[in-house]
């Protein structure tokens, strides 16, 4: 079956130096771009992360420091990657909580103005967990009746993710074959940023989800305690969180000037 798309969607997977969105780096990225007419485009890049890859991480994905020593750093690849995905929605496996946030951090470090405002994001893992409560290898076996060879290689995981989503749509009548529905179905709590430090309340207003201002409106906190904005910008928060907070502050200031 073919996905019902109104714009391209890029399924992607990252292999990284670890699982910390703020401090870890990409060592491999694979993108499978699917067009509304069913055409597909694939690209995989190995990346020099500029930091050591821990041995226990190499044991998982098989990529060592020597494997990426002569590869370009992400900043050298950022525009090429961005040009491939810039017109597309995004899809992945655990992508809403890990791959998209980490990709955003790498893009912003490379001074590429990446955001998700006009994109849908389908997380195949969330659909899978809501329906079956398993892992990618089990999902591939369950939905596609295939064994996932080379698990934890970005390309194999990316291709498997795409096949699993198509099989999920075929299997479950309640899943609509359109990107907006699948993105909403595969989302969890609504975050204004990726990391979950700024969330939406029931009225769609941005609120802090942590610390002494947990549950309070961002705009109210910034107005009553202006120094909190500077503290967040100088603290160890993800770059995308800082970008979202800055945008909220600018919109609030502009509204006051109108």
């Amino acid at each position: 079956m073919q996905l019902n798309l109104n714009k391209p969607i890029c399924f992607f997977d990252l292999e990284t130096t670890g699982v910390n969105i703020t401090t870890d780096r990409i060592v491999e990225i694979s993108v499978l771009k699917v067009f509304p007419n069913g055409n597909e485009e694939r690209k995989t890049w190995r990346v020099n992360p500029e930091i050591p890859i821990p041995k226990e991480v190499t044991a998982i994905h098989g990529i060592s420091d020597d494997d990426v020593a002569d590869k370009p750093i992400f900043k050298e690849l950022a525009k090429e990657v961005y040009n491939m995905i810039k017109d597309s929605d995004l899809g992945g496996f655990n992508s809403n909580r890990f791959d998209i946030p980490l990709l955003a951090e790498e893009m912003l470090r490379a001074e590429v103005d990446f955001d998700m405002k006009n994109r849908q994001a389908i997380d195949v893992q969330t659909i899978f967990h809501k329906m079956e409560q398993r892992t990618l290898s089990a999902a591939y076996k369950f939905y596609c009746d295939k064994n996932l060879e080379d698990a934890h290689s970005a390309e194999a995981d990316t291709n498997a993710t795409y096949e699993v989503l198509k099989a999920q749509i075929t299997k479950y009548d309640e899943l609509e074959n359109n990107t907006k529905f699948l993105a909403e179905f595969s989302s969890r709590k609504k975050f204004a940023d990726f990391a979950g430090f700024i969330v939406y309340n029931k009225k769609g207003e941005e609120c802090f989800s942590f610390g002494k201002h947990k549950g309070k409106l961002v705009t109210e906190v910034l107005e009553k305690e202006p120094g909190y904005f500077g503290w967040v910008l100088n603290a160890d928060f993800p770059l995308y969180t800082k970008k979202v907070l800055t945008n909220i502050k600018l919109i609030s200031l502009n509204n006051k000037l109108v």
Side-chain angles (χ1 to χ4, degrees):
M1 59 89 67
Q2 183 172 312
L3 291 182
N4 182 15
L5 304 174
N6 53 25
K7 66 189 292 189
I9 182 169
C10 284
F11 294 92
F12 77 103
D13 185 73
L14 305 179
E15 304 302 337
T16 66
T17 59
V19 296
N20 187 305
I21 291 168
T22 304
T23 60
D24 279 306
R25 300 291 186 267
I26 295 171
V27 298
E28 186 175 70
I29 176 172
S30 186
V31 180
L32 167 59
K33 186 171 187 176
V34 183
F35 295 86
N37 64 3
N39 288 348
E40 300 174 5
E41 178 183 345
R42 290 177 171 82
K43 182 72 176 179
T44 299
W45 298 266
R46 283 277 175 96
V47 186
N48 184 335
E50 301 182 275
I51 61 174
I53 305 172
K55 291 181 179 179
E56 60 270 22
V57 177
T58 295
I60 295 173
H61 55 48
I63 302 171
S64 67
D65 291 332
D66 290 341
D67 293 329
V68 293
D70 62 345
K71 302 301 181 184
I73 63 175
F74 189 83
K75 189 170 185 178
E76 296 170 329
L77 296 171
K79 288 185 178 179
E80 182 182 358
V81 176
Y82 181 74
N83 285 337
M84 187 171 183
I85 68 174
K86 65 182 180 181
D87 62 342
S88 305
D89 293 323
L90 298 178
F93 197 85
N94 194 34
S95 49
N96 285 356
R97 290 187 294 176
F98 181 72
D99 298 83
I100 292 176
L102 200 149
L103 178 63
E105 290 299 291
E106 290 277 38
M107 286 289 186
L108 293 173
R109 277 191 290 267
E111 300 179 346
V112 175
D113 190 19
F114 176 87
D115 64 49
M116 291 292 293
K117 286 182 180 178
N118 298 312
R119 305 176 194 268
Q120 302 288 351
I122 298 175
D123 193 328
V124 173
Q125 186 193 60
T126 303
I127 295 175
F128 184 34
H129 285 179
K130 283 185 175 183
M131 295 299 189
E132 302 296 344
Q133 303 291 310
R134 304 279 179 87
T135 62
L136 178 56
S137 295
Y140 198 51
K141 180 66 176 177
F142 182 84
Y143 290 109
C144 306
D145 196 24
K146 299 177 183 178
N147 293 319
L148 180 52
E149 306 294 340
D150 299 323
H152 297 298
S153 77
E155 186 170 352
D157 288 357
T158 296
N159 293 336
T161 297
Y162 175 45
E163 289 189 49
V164 167
L165 177 60
K166 292 190 292 181
Q168 286 173 329
I169 295 169
T170 300
K171 181 176 178 63
Y172 302 115
D173 292 338
E174 60 265 46
L175 294 183
E176 297 178 17
N177 186 0
N178 70 74
T179 307
K180 186 174 187 298
F181 174 87
L182 294 169
E184 290 176 353
F185 188 87
S186 63
S187 67
R188 296 176 185 265
K189 191 171 183 179
K190 291 288 186 180
F191 299 147
D193 64 340
F194 294 127
F197 292 108
I198 302 173
V199 299
Y200 292 108
N201 63 17
K202 292 181 179 179
K203 295 181 180 179
E205 301 165 316
E206 295 97 343
C207 298
F208 287 111
S209 67
F210 68 97
K212 64 180 182 179
H213 294 307
K214 184 176 181 179
K216 296 180 183 178
L217 292 176
V218 172
T219 51
E220 290 183 0
V221 172
L222 296 183
E223 183 174 353
K224 294 178 181 178
E225 191 179 334
Y228 197 70
F229 174 75
W231 176 78
V232 172
L233 291 191
N234 290 315
D236 190 23
F237 287 94
L239 294 176
Y240 198 83
T241 299
K242 296 176 182 180
K243 171 185 169 73
V244 169
L245 186 62
T246 301
N247 288 340
I248 294 171
K249 182 177 177 66
L250 290 174
I251 291 171
S252 180
L253 289 173
N254 288 336
N255 289 339
K256 289 180 180 180
L257 295 175
V258 174

